[in-house]
């Protein structure tokens, strides 16, 4: 019964905001369009379609708002006007009762709040669609008091989510079956992707683990602070972390008044992002201004503070190589290479003509070169490439779309802080270093070192394997045996060359270091 009532409400909102027009305009069954108009007699559709869609999602509640936020990252699927409007969605969710938050904490830790915390602020400092945050003071095992932030999952979320997801899947099937446009938008795949993101966010242990990984990765950079997790007090519904104190990055005047170097802050933000992407392949994928503060504590003055790690992105070595080569080819205006990379990646059908794809990519990229490099948006370049690629049936990988969305966030934030920010001059060293690491001698030595245990185990086995082959192949021709022996000799020569070459290379490096020290001292 509840599902039926919820379904009727959703249908009413869809018709009230004219969302049926988004999918019914090309429906061949005219009676469906006429019925929709009769049911919504008197409605006004003056506002743009993207604005109406955003308002409808806000009317439907936090789960649909979160869906719109995730949908806004799929700019490879959506028309630009709708994607831009959905990007404006914010979590405007009132906090839930502090009594419920306390009950959740006590259930998670099987102890009263007074036993867990020396003090607990019952008034939340932040509230979103999935969880809310309270400040508290924790008494650690050594008796010291620590200021902490306690993130508590919103109650009953799993049941609400499952019901709304079931309705979304049903609506997605309808949309996909009604028109060709509905099929092209792949609504069922988008809902499945949303399902994954949302269930990931519901497990706060996963968020705590992501924060710990980012904190470990960023320790040597000295540009960003990430809260430490108190693992004795982390649960799937509650996590306790170090309390971070800073000024929200959107309050630029307060930052200037505090003496923060704003242009340096903008460059540091870009450096942090590209380090996470090209060095670590593990990046904070929800870096909007609400999740970023700046420290004004003397010990860490001017550093970024990252918060909320519910969404992180990961990149494989293949993804990083694809991105680095695409960006490098783009700035060389080598559009043929960009087209070849799309085909080599397997995301474009193998039968695609390189010249046709090259021409389409040129039409996207060439206009950017009429402006200074500092005005070029790498995020917009990626977005336009994804949109252009639709006609070539490109299957865009979700991790790259998530990266593009985060890159747009970083660019917007960086240029809001410093309009003269040259993103390419910051990104270029990372791309060049990454390419050198992939193609240089260090990569060869690293691969050799990684494979050494395998070779060490294989070498003693070679005589026995050769003997077995000769025994089982007694009927083999003398020519085959000669070929096998020759192959064995070539293998031995290769191994000797690798060993002696590696030894010579190492001695050469030591000699160079010795000469450098002599010159320095």
């Amino acid at each position: 019964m509840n599902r039926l009532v919820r379904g009727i409400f959703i249908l009413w909102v869809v018709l009230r905001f004219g969302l049926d027009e988004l999918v019914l305009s090309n429906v061949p069954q005219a009676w469906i369009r006429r019925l929709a108009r009769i049911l919504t007699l008197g409605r006004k559709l003056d506002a743009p379609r993207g604005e109406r869609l955003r308002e409808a999602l806000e009317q439907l509640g936090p789960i649909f708002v979160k869906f719109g936020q995730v949908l806004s990252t799929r700019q490879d699927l959506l028309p630009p006007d709708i994607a831009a409007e959905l990007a404006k969605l914010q979590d405007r969710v009132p906090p839930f009762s502090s009594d419920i938050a306390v009950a959740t904490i006590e259930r998670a830790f099987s102890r009263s709040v007074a036993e867990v915390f020396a003090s607990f602020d019952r008034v939340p400092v932040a509230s979103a669609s999935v969880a809310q945050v309270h400040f508290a003071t924790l008494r650690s095992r050594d008796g010291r008091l620590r200021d902490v932030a306690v993130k508590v999952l919103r109650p009953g979320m799993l049941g609400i989510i499952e019901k709304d997801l079931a309705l979304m899947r049903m609506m997605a099937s309808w949309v996909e079956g009604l028109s060709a446009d509905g099929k092209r938008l792949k609504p069922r795949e988008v809902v499945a992707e949303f399902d994954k993101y949302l269930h990931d966010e519901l497990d706060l242990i996963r968020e705590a683990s992501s924060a710990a990984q980012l904190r470990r990765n960023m320790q040597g950079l000295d540009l960003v602070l990430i809260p430490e997790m108190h693992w004795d007090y982390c649960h799937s519904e509650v996590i306790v972390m170090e309390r971070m104190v800073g000024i929200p990055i959107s309050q630029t005047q307060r930052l200037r008044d505090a003496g923060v170097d704003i242009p340096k802050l903008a460059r540091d933000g870009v450096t942090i992002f590209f380090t996470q992407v090209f060095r670590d392949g593990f990046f904070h994928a929800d870096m909007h201004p609400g999740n970023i503060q700046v420290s004004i504590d003397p010990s860490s003055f001017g550093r970024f503070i990252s918060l909320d790690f519910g969404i992180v992105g990961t990149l494989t070595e293949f993804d990083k190589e694809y991105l680095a080569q695409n960006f490098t080819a783009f700035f060389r205006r080598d559009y043929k290479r960009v087209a070849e990379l799309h085909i080599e990646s397997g995301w474009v059908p193998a039968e695609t003509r390189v010249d046709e794809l090259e021409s389409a990519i040129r039409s996207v990229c060439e206009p950017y070169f009429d402006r200074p490099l500092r005005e070029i948006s790498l995020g917009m370049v990626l977005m336009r490439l994804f949109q252009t690629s639709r006609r070539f049936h490109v299957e865009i990988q979700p991790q790259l779309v998530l990266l593009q969305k985060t890159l747009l966030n970083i660019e917007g934030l960086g240029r809001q802080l410093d309009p003269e920010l040259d993103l390419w001059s910051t990104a270029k060293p990372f791309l060049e270093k990454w390419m050198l690491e992939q193609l240089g001698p260090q990569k060869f030595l690293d691969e050799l070192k990684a494979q050494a245990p395998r070779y060490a185990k294989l070498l003693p086995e070679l005589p026995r394997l050769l003997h077995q082959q000769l025994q089982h192949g007694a009927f083999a021709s003398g020519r085959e045996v000669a070929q096998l022996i020759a192959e064995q000799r070539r293998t031995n020569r290769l191994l000797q060359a690798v060993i002696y070459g590696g030894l010579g290379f190492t001695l050469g490096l030591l000699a160079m270091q010795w000469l450098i020290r002599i010159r320095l001292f």
Side-chain angles (χ1 to χ4, degrees), residues 205-275:
I205 287 287
R206 181 187 290 270
E207 177 177 342
S209 301
S210 297
Q213 180 69 53
L214 283 169
R215 178 183 169 88
R216 205 160 41 245
N217 291 348
M218 295 287 101
Q219 272 181 342
L221 200 60
D222 294 331
L223 294 177
V224 60
L225 302 174
I226 294 170
E228 179 186 2
M229 296 292 141
H230 294 281
W231 286 107
D232 289 341
Y233 301 95
C234 286
H235 183 272
S236 59
E237 292 182 288
V238 182
I239 55 175
V240 178
M241 69 193 84
E242 175 186 5
R243 187 194 302 185
M244 311 303 287
V245 180
I247 297 176
I249 200 166
S250 56
Q251 298 181 14
T252 51
Q253 191 55 52
R254 281 186 64 193
L255 292 172
R256 286 193 183 93
D257 294 342
V260 175
D261 185 340
I262 299 297
K264 179 181 182 301
L265 191 67
R267 293 193 302 273
D268 288 349
V270 177
T271 299
I272 290 165
F273 175 70
F274 279 104
T275 300

Side-chain angles (χ1 to χ4, degrees), residues 113-307:
V113 165
E115 291 177 287
V116 177
F117 302 107
S119 67
F120 181 82
D121 189 349
R122 294 176 69 91
V123 179
V125 294
S127 178
S129 57
V130 171
Q132 70 184 32
V133 178
H134 295 258
F135 283 160
T137 305
L138 181 69
R139 191 180 300 280
S140 61
R141 289 180 178 179
D142 58 8
R144 288 188 300 164
L145 295 178
R146 293 175 180 249
D147 291 332
V148 295
V150 184
K151 188 167 186 175
V152 185
L153 195 67
R154 191 170 282 273
M157 284 298 294
L158 188 59
I160 295 170
I161 284 170
E162 292 298 346
K163 288 177 185 175
D164 277 353
L165 281 172
L167 289 169
M168 284 181 184
R169 292 188 196 100
M170 182 175 65
M171 292 164 62
S173 297
W174 287 350
V175 169
E176 198 167 282
L178 282 173
S179 69
D181 280 347
K183 262 182 200 171
R184 183 182 59 75
L185 290 173
K186 302 180 181 178
R188 285 189 293 180
E189 291 181 26
V190 172
V191 171
E193 190 175 319
F194 173 60
D195 188 343
K196 175 184 176 299
Y197 283 137
L198 205 51
H199 278 88
D200 284 353
E201 279 199 80
L202 286 180
D203 184 359
L204 296 187
I205 287 287
R206 181 187 290 270
E207 177 177 342
S209 301
S210 297
Q213 180 69 53
L214 283 169
R215 178 183 169 88
R216 205 160 41 245
N217 291 348
M218 295 287 101
Q219 272 181 342
L221 200 60
D222 294 331
L223 294 177
V224 60
L225 302 174
I226 294 170
E228 179 186 2
M229 296 292 141
H230 294 281
W231 286 107
D232 289 341
Y233 301 95
C234 286
H235 183 272
S236 59
E237 292 182 288
V238 182
I239 55 175
V240 178
M241 69 193 84
E242 175 186 5
R243 187 194 302 185
M244 311 303 287
V245 180
I247 297 176
I249 200 166
S250 56
Q251 298 181 14
T252 51
Q253 191 55 52
R254 281 186 64 193
L255 292 172
R256 286 193 183 93
D257 294 342
V260 175
D261 185 340
I262 299 297
K264 179 181 182 301
L265 191 67
R267 293 193 302 273
D268 288 349
V270 177
T271 299
I272 290 165
F273 175 70
F274 279 104
T275 300
Q276 291 179 357
V277 170
F278 286 105
R279 189 192 71 183
D280 304 327
F282 189 86
F283 61 95
H284 189 312
D286 201 14
M287 294 181 72
H288 61 75
N291 287 339
I292 303 173
Q293 297 178 356
V294 181
S295 173
I296 55 171
D297 185 273
S299 62
S300 55
F301 186 81
R303 292 193 199 175
F304 277 79
I305 298 173
S306 287
L307 303 169

Side-chain angles (χ1 to χ4, degrees), residues 308-329:
D308 194 349
F309 309 93
I311 303 176
V312 295
T314 57
L315 297 173
T316 63
E317 290 299 314
F318 179 83
D319 293 331
K320 290 194 288 184
E321 181 179 357
Y322 168 82
L323 286 167
Q325 292 198 39
N326 260 293
F327 283 146
T328 304

Side-chain angles (χ1 to χ4, degrees), residues 100-111 153 155-156 235 237-238:
I100 295 175
V102 167
T104 303
I105 293 168
E106 293 180 341
R107 183 175 67 253
F109 301 136
S110 301
R111 295 157 63 189
L153 195 67
H235 183 272
E237 292 182 288
V238 182

